[in-house]
Amino acid sequence: MRRKWFGADALGATLWQLAVAFVLLWLSRFAFAAYNADICQVGSFGEAVRLAIAGVRFDLSALAYFNALFILMRILPFGFVYSKIYDRIVLWVYGVCNSLLLAVNLGDIPYFRFTGARLRWSNILNITTDSDIWRIVLQYAGSYWWAFGAVALAVAGMLYLATRVRLQKPSGRFGRLWLRIVLALVFAGGTFLAMRGRIGAGVPLAIPDAAFAVTRSPQINVVLNSPFCILRSLNPLKSNTEAELVFFDESTLVSVRNSVHAGADSIRRRNIVTIVIESGGSVWLDSIATRLGAVKHGLMPFLDSIAGQSAVFVHTIACSRSSCGGFTAVSCGFPAFDPFYFMLSPYNKNTLDAPARLLGQKGWDTTFYYGCKHGSFNIDQTAFASGYQRIVDREAYGNDSDYDGMWGIFDYPMAEYIAADLSSRPEPFLASWFTVSAHGPFTLPQGWDTSGYKHKEASPERGLEYTDQALRRFFELAKLQTWYDNTVFIITADHGNRDFKGTDYDTPYIQSHIPFIVYAPDGSVEPRFYADRVFSQHDIAATTLGLAGYDKPFVQLGVDAFDFSADSFGIQRVSGRYMVVGPRYVVFTSPDAKSIEEVYDICADPTMKTPLDSFDSAEAEKLLRQAQAFLQDYTSRLIHDRLYN
């Protein structure tokens, strides 16, 4: 039998065991702050301690919620609480609930870098849409073994310390029933106050309250803990929403921006194929990377050759760090800022002036190709909501011998399938292909010839080398088809690169860059690299309608990239605040977008090492004003179902 350290009655033992779980939860914040210090802008250990102290009440709230059943079972003022069988049951409840508490918080240490925000319930719902979720979790156990190891050590330490107390019945006056009832009520009241997180306020402690404890907005994520954020977002139809932002009266708003596009003079019945490359950040393409000051990797020589024959919009900013958020921008034409998920929101039935819906009404055949299972990460549902009439997923593909065992159909056979399938579709057609093979674990088909590959097996670089070969094969087959010369190809990515942790490229500015390439085999699009303007990912939808010559007024939050008179800028939500990108400056706003917090000169400092002490205030304020007008227009149209004409 393991040696006990001390004896205590039920309430004393409960306090000890809760204290053990609380201390481990509180300490795990330091691991989070250390691993994500660059994103959260924690400059010193002292600063981390200050933020951790501010996070105590958030930790107490999460602890109280996760232990409500354990506390209730322990504080009952009856003698059976001290029976061995009952105590074992109570300890099992304690172990399960607090193991989950610690696992969620520690597991979010690496996952935070994929989302840029503490874990929400909508994240969990989105992740679990894939039926192979456990296989995915096991794969990430190899990549992030240290996080799984940390969970195991924390849980083992918690259980060891929690069982060092020996439960013993109270004696004397402390054993009186009336006093045990009073103490139980006091304990219950304390638990309730801990859940609420504050005394006397009308509403419980909430996620935005963390902002009052920080000097820089990204530090909010250090003050918070992930279990608390999940609990406060359990109703996705309420929590997975965007707040309506108002900065201007209507007449002023219209003078700054107008999302109602007049439409072209005449329609052009050409085919449009959009290719969305999984994890295809701009730094992987040498032709764009060199213009960002990044090194060459030699990963995608074919796509670089296509870029040399295309219009390339060098500075295009992804709106999200997630695949479904990025695809929402490309297909629907509005941003899904992390951690907002359009298909899990109450707005998912909105009418949208998305290219697939509008061009479908004009006679375009519309197909979305996505080799994953139906429902995976809500991406095919997003395609359907944006108006695609036909979805080709893993089931429709119908040959699991080409399945990569994790995500979907390998890119190379999918490329061959799409080239053949498009030849059977009526023209004009609008098609979109979302690739999958450049996603971890970056597996290649068994027996695939890797002799010409430059990078190691199971690496992001190897995955992109394979995707480049798939693109080469697609275009080889497409060139043989009658529809090829009447087709415009748009090549982009779902989100920027996330594989440069600890390098100069791991900054919100460079990391968020994605390709925006427009290639027309008939020469109707002038080959040129445009580096003097900045675009957002949602501008791709408006550009698609412009390339088709859509001839009626429509609503799009983005601009047609070929409308050189239109103002454009990049925007993304990073750790709760907005990053607004112009040709010279990156401006970080406050979370409510009412003021400027930081300004960087990305021409002189593209890796964003030092914010500017002095800058051209007129230029920075113009970016802020553009962002405010955009956010007001976007949130109002989204909330009130006005994303259509």
Side-chain angles (χ1 to χ4, degrees), residues 545-574:
L545 290 167
L547 289 167
Y550 186 76
D551 59 354
K552 289 185 177 180
F554 61 90
V555 169
Q556 272 292 323
L557 295 173
V559 301
D560 182 346
F562 293 101
D563 179 0
F564 301 108
S565 65
D567 283 334
S568 61
F569 58 94
I571 187 168
Q572 185 185 99
R573 189 157 60 199
V574 180

Side-chain angles (χ1 to χ4, degrees), residues 440-460:
F442 313 108
T443 54
L444 271 60
Q446 191 172 5
W448 185 262
D449 180 11
T450 60
S451 58
Y453 284 64
K454 298 180 179 180
H455 296 272
K456 65 181 181 180
E457 185 178 353
S459 65

